[in-house]
Amino acid sequence: QIFLVGAHAKADALGMLMFTLGIYLMETRPYSARTLIAVILLSYLGFLAKLYFVLLGPLACSYIYFHVSKRQGVIMSIAFLLGLGLLIVVLDRVFPTYITSVIGVVTGARTEISFESSTFMMRQWMYFLLMHLGVLLLAGLAWVRRGRDARDIGEPGCLSEFWCYSAVVVTIVL
């Protein structure tokens, strides 16, 4: 079965729930240290489900840096990185093979980097772009339109909203 419609219990689904809850909190709650700490904790829980859901923490910290306060953004980034380092150390102590079997495999440390593997990855990248081209174009058009309308009204553009900021950053990272 290629596609599953409906609820399913997988680590991806749990991580996506944490990621989505973090975006929801950043979007609906006024900025406070308590909100950001909750988002960072959701980022750590997402990390425990799947490694790439840790991206929520850097997204939130960089958003605070660019749109709220540079000082607060730097402080929260340092706190996030220290907490992530502590989490990885604790995981390594509790599960001695965690770093080598999970992080090493995911980063490709066990695979040989060759011309064939890089060609394969480029093909995968092109398939991803072609599959999501419509969504990327609509998001880009909405972003440009919203930014133009906001300049007319005198309000900040789409990037000042966390959901749009995170969509743009995740698209660039992918």
Side-chain angles (χ1 to χ4, degrees):
Q1 179 174 351
I2 296 177
F3 298 102
L4 174 68
V5 177
H8 57 284
K10 288 177 48 180
D12 291 359
L14 181 62
M16 183 58 81
L17 174 68
M18 299 302 147
F19 192 82
T20 308
L21 281 174
I23 290 175
Y24 175 78
L25 282 177
M26 286 294 290
E27 191 65 31
T28 59
R29 305 275 190 246
Y31 168 73
S32 69
R34 200 151 102 191
T35 302
L36 196 55
I37 289 170
V39 169
I40 287 174
L41 290 176
L42 286 170
S43 175
Y44 294 154
L45 290 174
F47 172 78
L48 294 174
K50 284 287 188 177
L51 295 179
Y52 45 84
F53 288 117
V54 77
L55 184 60
L56 176 64
L59 278 174
C61 292
S62 65
Y63 179 80
I64 296 301
Y65 180 84
F66 289 118
H67 295 283
V68 177
S69 163
K70 292 190 185 325
R71 183 175 180 272
Q72 287 293 322
V74 169
I75 290 170
M76 294 312 285
S77 296
I78 292 170
F80 170 77
L81 291 173
L82 289 175
L84 183 63
L86 179 65
L87 178 63
I88 291 173
V89 167
V90 168
L91 282 173
D92 189 51
R93 295 285 180 218
V94 174
F95 305 107
T97 61
Y98 180 80
I99 290 177
T100 56
S101 64
V102 175
I103 297 177
V105 170
V106 169
T107 59
R110 294 181 180 236
T111 60
E112 178 184 327
I113 303 297
S114 66
F115 178 74
E116 290 82 19
S117 65
S118 59
T119 304
F120 174 75
M121 290 307 292
M122 286 305 292
R123 255 187 286 141
Q124 293 297 315
W125 174 245
M126 292 307 298
Y127 290 144
F128 173 81
L129 286 177
L130 289 174
M131 183 183 299
H132 296 91
L133 185 61
V135 173
L136 294 173
L137 286 175
L138 287 174
L141 289 173
W143 181 40
V144 169
R145 168 85 182 171
R146 185 118 191 223
R148 189 183 70 218
D149 291 345
R151 280 194 299 276
D152 295 340
I153 301 171
E155 296 176 357
C158 177
L159 282 180
S160 66
E161 297 179 19
F162 184 72
W163 70 268
C164 183
Y165 176 80
S166 59
V168 169
V169 172
V170 168
T171 302
I172 291 169
V173 168
L174 287 178

